[in-house]
Amino acid sequence: MSRIIKGRTIARGEASGKVLMTKDPISFLGNVNPETGEIVDPAHELFGESITGKVLVFPQGKGSTVGSYVIYQLKKNNKAPAAIINLECEPIVAVGAIISEIPLIDKLETNPYDVLKDGDDVLVNSAEGFIEIL
């Protein structure tokens, strides 16, 4: 049985995929290789993991404004996440998702860390403002 959780739309769209979660913020400049989609910072919880095609769940972005362009590079290289879920999105990730047309939602009515786990199948429908756990 599926479950629907409402949230705030940041970048409109619809995509589905398997959840990849971290409680660590992500700096796309320095944490993610835009050519491979892998987390390359050895200090990051997701070190060595690929974000490509995943529903990437993380609290918020951090770091340089160039991070928006790194997200765009990921999209151009077909290495971007399918969708993003944040606890509370900040401008760097928001701009990157918008220009890259990656669905992004935040401020879910239920904390995603309480209801999602790695590998869950999730639909992100940020055009309508909800996620669906399949």
Side-chain angles (χ1 to χ4, degrees):
M1 176 168 231
S2 69
R3 177 174 179 189
I4 292 178
I5 303 169
K6 294 181 181 180
R8 178 177 73 160
T9 296
I10 301 294
R12 292 188 180 278
E14 185 176 321
S16 59
K18 297 214 177 280
V19 168
L20 179 63
M21 299 183 76
T22 180
K23 291 189 176 179
D24 290 347
I26 294 177
S27 170
F28 282 87
L29 179 64
N31 282 159
V32 182
N33 181 328
E35 294 181 12
T36 66
E38 290 182 14
I39 303 291
V40 295
D41 178 358
H44 198 277
E45 179 182 16
L46 295 179
F47 176 65
E49 295 279 346
S50 173
I51 65 171
T52 304
K54 302 288 185 358
V55 175
L56 185 60
V57 181
F58 59 103
Q60 71 273 335
K62 66 176 186 173
S64 170
T65 56
V66 176
S68 299
Y69 181 68
V70 173
I71 295 170
Y72 184 70
Q73 285 181 303
L74 285 161
K75 183 68 172 192
K76 288 296 184 188
N77 292 333
N78 295 313
K79 298 297 179 183
I84 297 172
I85 300 170
N86 285 152
L87 288 181
E88 185 167 357
C89 189
E90 45 67 53
I92 295 165
V93 175
V95 169
I98 291 166
I99 64 174
S100 303
E101 299 179 339
I102 299 170
L104 171 56
I105 195 166
D106 77 348
K107 294 189 176 185
L108 297 179
E109 62 187 2
T110 302
N111 186 328
Y113 295 102
D114 292 339
V115 294
L116 297 174
K117 64 183 183 311
D118 281 339
D120 282 349
D121 288 312
V122 174
L123 167 72
V124 176
N125 185 334
S126 55
E128 300 294 326
F130 69 87
I131 70 164
E132 182 176 5
I133 305 168
L134 305 171

